[in-house]
């Protein structure tokens, strides 16, 4: 069964707006990763946050992790049309699972 | 950063033939490699976990006699789709890493069975 579940399933925003995606998981983890996948292409690793970290930044990306709620969020600030893609969370721990993804569309 | 390659990136084969897909970790050793299948506009479906030197662990519903996995070394795992049928057409992705740590994904292999 899927461990990582993203919310929302689909998101459409105007260029320049912020996009927030959430991920929930079920078991204990060592780390959580966010990936991006453009249509028909491979996965691109965006950011990894470890279980003892609460927040991490990388450029326009901000990731938070709440281990008590078993959830993580990915914030993309000042979105661009090129950010249009599917975003997945994945967890590493006793097992490795991949989430169902959020499809983000940024309208120019 | 760690790089994982897959070969081939795209393959077309006739129904009934077998296809081998390679997954290599180029600059690190991977004790664990995972094989995924992805249908259009869907998430990755974990097929099996491949541990170096031991038999692969298959997820429920995945036919181990059809999808043969061999993790021959710490840098190479292969997935062989045997007696391929059109319904096996899909995007196959591998990931590699150390157990419990970050996984690095390959670029994927698109299989089309005619």
């Amino acid at each position: 069964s899927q461990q990582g579940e993203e919310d929302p399933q689909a998101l459409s925003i105007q260029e320049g707006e912020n996009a927030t995606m959430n991920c929930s998981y079920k078991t204990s983890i060592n780390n959580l990763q966010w990936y991006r996948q453009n249509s028909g292409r491979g996965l691109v690793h965006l950011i990894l946050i470890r279980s003892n970290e609460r927040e991490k930044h990388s450029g326009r990306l901000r990731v938070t992790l709440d281990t008590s709620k078993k959830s993580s969020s990915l914030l993309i600030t000042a979105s661009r049309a090129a950010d249009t893609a599917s975003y997945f969370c994945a967890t590493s721990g006793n097992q490795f699972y991949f989430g169902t993804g959020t499809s983000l569309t940024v309208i120019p | 950063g760690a790089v994982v390659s897959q070969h081939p990136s795209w393959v077309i084969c006739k129904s009934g033939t077998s296809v081998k897909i390679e997954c290599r970790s180029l600059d690190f050793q991977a004790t664990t490699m995972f094989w995924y299948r992805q249908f259009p506009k869907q998430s990755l479906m974990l097929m099996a976990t491949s541990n170096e030197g031991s038999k692969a662990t298959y997820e429920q519903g995945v036919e181990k006699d059809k999808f043969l996995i061999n993790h021959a070394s710490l840098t190479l795992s292969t997935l062989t789709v045997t007696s391929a049928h059109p319904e096996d057409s899909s995007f196959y992705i591998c990931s590699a890493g150390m157990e419990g740590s970050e996984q690095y994904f390959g670029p994927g292999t698109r299989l089309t069975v005619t």
Side-chain angles (χ1 to χ4, degrees), chain A residues 42-101:
Chain A
L43 290 148
V44 174
H45 181 257
L46 295 176
I47 198 166
L48 177 150
I49 186 166
R50 303 198 182 278
S51 59
N52 61 353
E53 296 176 312
R54 292 295 167 259
E55 188 170 312
K56 205 163 184 179
H57 296 82
S58 176
R60 293 184 295 112
L61 305 180
R62 173 177 165 251
V63 169
T64 62
L65 178 64
D66 187 335
T67 53
S68 65
K69 295 181 180 178
K70 292 186 168 56
S71 68
S72 173
S73 68
L74 170 67
L75 168 67
I76 303 174
T77 60
S79 64
R80 304 168 182 169
D83 295 328
T84 295
S86 292
Y87 292 83
F88 298 90
C89 70
T91 60
S92 292
N94 293 328
Q95 294 175 306
F96 182 82
Y97 281 99
F98 216 84
T100 53

Side-chain angles (χ1 to χ4, degrees), chain A residues 10-50:
Chain A
L11 179 63
S12 182
I13 59 174
Q14 294 289 332
E15 198 167 34
E17 295 180 337
N18 296 339
T20 300
M21 289 159 272
N22 302 297
C23 168
S24 60
Y25 57 93
K26 297 177 182 176
T27 64
S28 61
I29 62 172
N30 292 336
N31 62 66
L32 185 146
Q33 302 157 65
W34 284 92
Y35 292 87
R36 184 186 73 213
Q37 185 180 38
N38 290 80
S39 181
R41 305 288 295 273
L43 290 148
V44 174
H45 181 257
L46 295 176
I47 198 166
L48 177 150
I49 186 166
R50 303 198 182 278

Side-chain angles (χ1 to χ4, degrees), chain B residues 2-109:
Chain B
V3 178
V4 176
S5 70
Q6 283 185 239
H7 176 80
S9 56
W10 182 52
V11 58
I12 299 175
C13 70
K14 291 188 176 180
S15 189
T17 61
S18 295
V19 175
K20 180 183 283 188
I21 302 169
E22 293 185 349
C23 176
R24 292 183 185 271
S25 56
L26 298 185
D27 51 1
F28 68 101
Q29 293 184 327
T31 55
T32 305
M33 289 185 174
F34 295 88
W35 285 96
Y36 300 83
R37 183 174 180 177
Q38 186 181 32
F39 293 100
K41 298 185 179 181
Q42 294 190 29
S43 181
L44 276 65
M45 181 191 80
L46 180 64
M47 298 176 66
T49 303
S50 169
N51 293 300
E52 186 267 340
S54 62
K55 290 183 179 180
T57 302
Y58 290 82
E59 295 298 302
Q60 194 171 11
V62 178
E63 298 177 61
K64 61 181 179 182
D65 293 331
K66 179 167 186 62
F67 299 100
L68 301 179
I69 292 171
N70 181 27
H71 195 153
S73 73
L74 287 171
T75 59
L76 174 64
S77 176
T78 60
L79 167 68
T80 301
V81 183
T82 63
S83 187
H85 289 106
E87 56 263 32
D88 297 326
S89 298
S90 192
F91 196 48
Y92 292 89
I93 302 172
C94 75
S95 68
M98 302 296 287
E99 191 170 349
S101 297
E102 182 179 8
Q103 287 286 313
Y104 299 93
F105 282 79
T109 296

